[in-house]
Amino acid sequence: MLGADPIVFPAAFAALYAAHEVGDHWLQTHGQACGKGAPGWSGRILCARHVATLTALKAAALTLTAVVLGLPVNPWTVAAALGIDAVSHYWADRRTTLLALADWLGRTVLPGKGKFARLGNDAAAPTGTGAYALDQSWHIGWLFAAALLASLGVS
């Protein structure tokens, strides 16, 4: 059974969240932000580059946090946590995937979710749109799961 350290989880979540905010908003290039949802290989490559940079920053943040705070972390669960976070981030940032999920939820259990995803003007206020809110909440939910996973296997 994998034990968990109750101190590792909040520290890991804080590190992942801070790195996410910096990486998703400051380190992501304009080209990546505008093109990562494009169809075909150009969109996939831009999205993969964004996620690779973001994941490297998150790994550095987790490592720095563990070293400075003297946290007992298991490198295997941390690697798995970063992998799960990266896959979930890539999936959402391809855009059509998250929109399809919102549409499906809007038709089944959460009426209006697809309409909410389309709320706002992408050109005028991309960070004030329903799609942006769903995107960021998706990422933060997966950061929570990744922090939980990163806290396993240390006791």
Side-chain angles (χ1 to χ4, degrees), residues 20-101:
H20 169 82
E21 287 295 303
V22 172
D24 219 24
H25 298 104
W26 282 95
L27 294 183
Q28 181 172 205
T29 68
H30 179 72
Q32 290 168 350
C34 294
K36 64 188 176 185
W41 281 105
S42 74
R44 290 183 195 113
I45 290 168
L46 287 168
C47 193
R49 286 181 181 160
H50 163 57
V51 172
T53 301
L54 186 61
T55 303
L57 180 62
K58 289 175 183 178
L62 279 173
T63 300
L64 181 63
T65 300
V67 169
V68 169
L69 299 179
L71 297 176
V73 294
N74 180 321
W76 298 109
T77 60
V78 168
L82 288 168
I84 287 169
D85 177 65
V87 168
S88 72
H89 199 101
Y90 179 91
W91 182 88
D93 275 14
R94 291 295 289 140
R95 296 197 176 125
T96 56
T97 49
L98 202 58
L99 184 58
L101 177 61

